[in-house]
Each structure stands twice: as structure tokens, then as C-alpha cells.
């Protein structure tokens, strides 16, 4: 069964948490995009909601399918955020940021009453770290920050971290986030203590944000071959 079919099952199941009049957070990535398209269909049928997008790409898609948007600075309450993830472990700890939107995704997730994560089965892991951990950094002195990140990862029990500047598709110019920052992708293999890495990375001056989402997701919806499995904390 294709991953796209599993993602569609997961995204469709997330609609059960959406109620009339809500302000929603719209995540980024392939599964979140499916949710946005399905939400647009519900709005055509009469559902009344408004939404805050976490990326320019999500904003463009939402407008295309008829989802009303509200500027993040005009929001005082977000009921539900639906977003994807690159990895999810058994404690609902996440790695996000493969698409480069981790800062805005975390801001919206933190401000929401409920964060729902929609994934296909391949994103479930026993321990985080198979997917490289993205760290969003200020452009100034990013090579210094990269060395400090390497040292932190070593101190947290990761034997051979590999910290690389993310580049655009052509492989020449650095990838730049919507916020104007660089991303350092940190291949860890496995992260023994995600909470410790979370804490230690936050102490580095050049780090804007990182892709470990801990204590944010309360519902994980896993798309399977014939249905979606809903997991709740």
C-alpha cells in the first residue's frame, strides 16, 4: 500500500477534531498538505473555520483550496494544530523540520490547545535520530554554531554526529528558511536522551530553534493500509 494512501487516511481522521468556529494551525509537509486539501472540501460544504499557516507554501495551498487565513499577529487563541512529522517515538516525541519550517511550526504548536500529528507508518520509530535533526541557526557565525552543536551532541552521548549546512536543490547555495535563517542537519544515528539534547541546544546563542518537539503532541494519527489508528496521551 502506498504511503500517500496512508497519509490520506491519517489526514482524514484528523478532521474529526475540527469544529465549527475554530481557529486552526496548519502545518507543513506532504501529510499536512493533504489535510489542508480535505479541509478545503469541508469548508465548501459549509464548515466555518479560519487558519494560521506555518509556511508560505502552506499559505499558498490554503488560499488555493479556499481555507480562510488570519495573520498570526491577529490571533489570540488557536484551538487545534494539525501537522506532520519526520519521526515520532513511543512517547510522542518528534523530529520535525525536514521541510525547513520548524521554527514557525513550533511557535504555532506551542500556542495551540491541541497538537495533532498525522503520519504514515514509516514515521514511527523506537528511538529518535534515524532522520537527521534540523537545527535552525542565525546566519552570523553559523560555522562557530555548527562546532558548538557538534560538541553538545557529543556530550549528550551521540558518538559520531555529522553536522552539515543544508543547501538548496542545486547543492550550491545555502537553504534559507522563511524566517531568513540557515539550517544545520545533524545526522545522529540515534538520540539517547532527546530531552537533554533539547535543553542543551537551547543554551547555544546561535541556535534559533531545533526540530525536537517534546511535550507538544497529544494526539498522533497513524495512517495504515486500510484505516487510521488514533493514539492519544
Amino acid at each position: 500500500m502506498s504511503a500517500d494512501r496512508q497519509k490520506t487516511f491519517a489526514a482524514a481522521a484528523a478532521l474529526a477534531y475540527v469544529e465549527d468556529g475554530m481557529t486552526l494551525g496548519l502545518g507543513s509537509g506532504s501529510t499536512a498538505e493533504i489535510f489542508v486539501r480535505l479541509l478545503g472540501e469541508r469548508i465548501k460544504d459549509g464548515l466555518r473555520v479560519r487558519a494560521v499557516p506555518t509556511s508560505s507554501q502552506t499559505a499558498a495551498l490554503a488560499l488555493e483550496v479556499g481555507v480562510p487565513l488570519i495573520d498570526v499577529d491577529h490571533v489570540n487563541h488557536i484551538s487545534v494544530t494539525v501537522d506532520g512529522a519526520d519521526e515520532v517515538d513511543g512517547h510522542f516525541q518528534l523530529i520535525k523540520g525536514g521541510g525547513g519550517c520548524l521554527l514557525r511550526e513550533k511557535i504555532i504548536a506551542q500556542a495551540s490547545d491541541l497538537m495533532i500529528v498525522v503520519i504514515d507508518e514509516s514515521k514511527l520509530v523506537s528511538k529518535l535520530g534515524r532522520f537527521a535533526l534540523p537545527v535552525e541557526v542565525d546566519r552570523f557565525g553559523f560555522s562557530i554554531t555548527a562546532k558548538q552543536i557538534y560538541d553538545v551532541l557529543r556530550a549528550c552521548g551521540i558518538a559520531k554526529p555529522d553536522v552539515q549546512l543544508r543547501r538548496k536543490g542545486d547543492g550550491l547555495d545555502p537553504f534559507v528558511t522563511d524566517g531568513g535563517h540557515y539550517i544545520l542537519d545533524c545526522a545522529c544515528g540515534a538520540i539517547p536522551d532527546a530531552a537533554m539534547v533539547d535543553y542543551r541546544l537551547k543554551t547555544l546563542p546561535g541556535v534559533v530553534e531545533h526540530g525536537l518537539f517534546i511535550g507538544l503532541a497529544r494526539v498522533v494519527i497513524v495512517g495504515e493500509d486500510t484505516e487510521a489508528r488514533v493514539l492519544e496521551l
Side-chain angles (χ1 to χ4, degrees):
M1 192 68 64
S2 74
D4 285 345
R5 183 173 174 83
Q6 292 185 354
K7 292 174 183 179
T8 300
F9 278 127
L15 286 170
Y17 291 84
V18 176
E19 298 178 1
D20 209 53
M22 280 184 168
T23 297
L24 306 175
L26 301 181
S28 303
S30 57
T31 312
E33 287 176 2
I34 295 172
F35 173 79
V36 173
R37 292 187 182 280
L38 294 175
L39 181 64
E41 293 176 8
R42 286 281 305 277
I43 288 170
K44 290 176 184 176
D45 291 336
L47 178 70
R48 294 175 301 145
V49 296
R50 58 184 186 173
V52 181
T54 56
S55 68
S56 56
Q57 184 174 346
T58 298
L61 175 61
L63 292 173
E64 176 188 329
V65 300
V67 177
L69 299 182
I70 181 172
D71 187 277
V72 64
D73 292 320
H74 297 158
V75 168
N76 54 27
H77 178 253
I78 299 173
S79 301
V80 175
T81 285
V82 178
D83 206 345
D86 299 301
E87 286 188 344
V88 181
D89 72 7
H91 302 288
F92 288 18
Q93 297 180 131
L94 321 173
I95 286 183
K96 290 180 51 57
C101 309
L102 58 120
L103 173 60
R104 296 186 179 187
E105 289 171 341
K106 191 172 284 189
I107 290 171
I108 297 304
Q110 183 70 54
S112 303
D113 292 341
L114 176 66
M115 181 188 188
I116 300 172
V117 176
V118 286
I119 57 171
D120 63 82
E121 288 181 307
S122 70
K123 303 304 192 326
L124 285 176
V125 297
S126 58
K127 188 175 290 292
L128 298 178
R130 180 180 62 190
F131 189 91
L133 173 64
V135 181
E136 190 163 346
V137 299
D138 194 275
R139 296 194 205 188
F140 179 81
F142 76 90
S143 60
I144 296 173
T145 305
K147 175 61 169 62
Q148 293 175 332
I149 290 171
Y150 175 88
D151 291 341
V152 161
L153 295 176
R154 285 291 306 275
C156 291
I158 298 164
K160 296 181 179 179
D162 183 18
V163 181
Q164 298 290 333
L165 177 66
R166 184 180 297 185
R167 299 189 181 276
K168 293 181 181 178
D170 58 16
L172 299 176
D173 297 324
F175 175 89
V176 179
T177 69
D178 283 350
H181 306 120
Y182 287 164
I183 286 184
L184 299 171
D185 288 313
C186 307
C188 299
I191 300 174
D193 188 340
M196 178 60 72
V197 174
D198 169 42
Y199 172 77
R200 293 288 299 273
L201 287 178
K202 287 177 178 176
T203 67
L204 299 180
V207 171
V208 178
E209 192 48 86
H210 59 73
L212 287 170
F213 282 52
I214 297 176
L216 291 173
R218 287 175 28 223
V219 176
V220 174
I221 303 179
V222 185
E224 299 179 335
D225 289 348
T226 59
E227 62 183 0
R229 178 161 48 107
V230 179
L231 308 174
E232 296 185 349
L233 284 179

